[in-house]
Amino acid sequence: MKSMEEMMKAAQEAAQTVQKQMQEAQTKLEAIEVEGVAGGGLVKVRATAKGRVIGINIDESLLVASEKQITEDLVAAAFNDARAKADKASEAEMGKMSGGLNLPEGFKMPF
């Protein structure tokens, strides 16, 4: 049987390993890019897997004053599409990291 001191040291090392893996995962998520689209590609939003918007592309055909509301709706839809893809990419990356942790079903890492 291990001494209490050995068990505490092992637990601390395990916590440090998990913390390092979490930091590495955060770095990877910032490097993964996703693209949300709306209006058949007329509006595109590029974002990181962490959800930071990198850029927005709006087709010139939408830049008509009378189409302002449609353009705004398409930008929102493209952003939401990008956000959903970012969440999916984030979950996949975190799944790789947490695969060996045997976490309970539905448990989410703090991101």
Side-chain angles (χ1 to χ4, degrees):
M1 183 173 188
K2 292 183 179 181
S3 71
M4 182 63 96
E5 187 176 300
E6 289 173 327
M7 288 190 295
M8 292 296 288
K9 184 177 180 181
Q12 184 178 16
E13 289 172 358
Q16 289 172 344
T17 299
V18 169
Q19 183 177 13
K20 182 181 176 188
Q21 289 174 337
M22 296 281 278
Q23 289 171 340
E24 290 171 358
Q26 287 287 331
T27 300
K28 286 181 182 179
L29 292 176
E30 191 60 38
I32 296 172
E33 288 188 20
V34 296
E35 182 177 75
V37 297
L42 294 175
V43 176
K44 298 176 183 177
V45 173
R46 287 185 310 114
T48 68
K50 286 184 73 174
R52 184 175 60 86
V53 174
I54 299 168
I56 298 173
N57 184 309
I58 301 172
D59 188 274
E60 289 182 17
S61 67
L62 293 175
L63 301 179
V64 177
S66 63
E67 301 296 322
K68 181 181 182 291
Q69 183 63 49
I70 292 171
T71 302
E72 291 171 347
D73 291 345
L74 289 173
V75 169
F79 176 79
N80 289 332
D81 186 44
R83 179 74 246 176
K85 290 176 180 175
D87 289 345
K88 188 174 180 178
S90 177
E91 288 174 15
E93 192 62 39
M94 293 310 297
K96 292 177 193 174
M97 194 218 53
S98 64
L101 296 178
N102 295 324
L103 298 172
E105 176 118 3
F107 183 84
K108 291 189 176 202
M109 300 300 275
F111 291 101

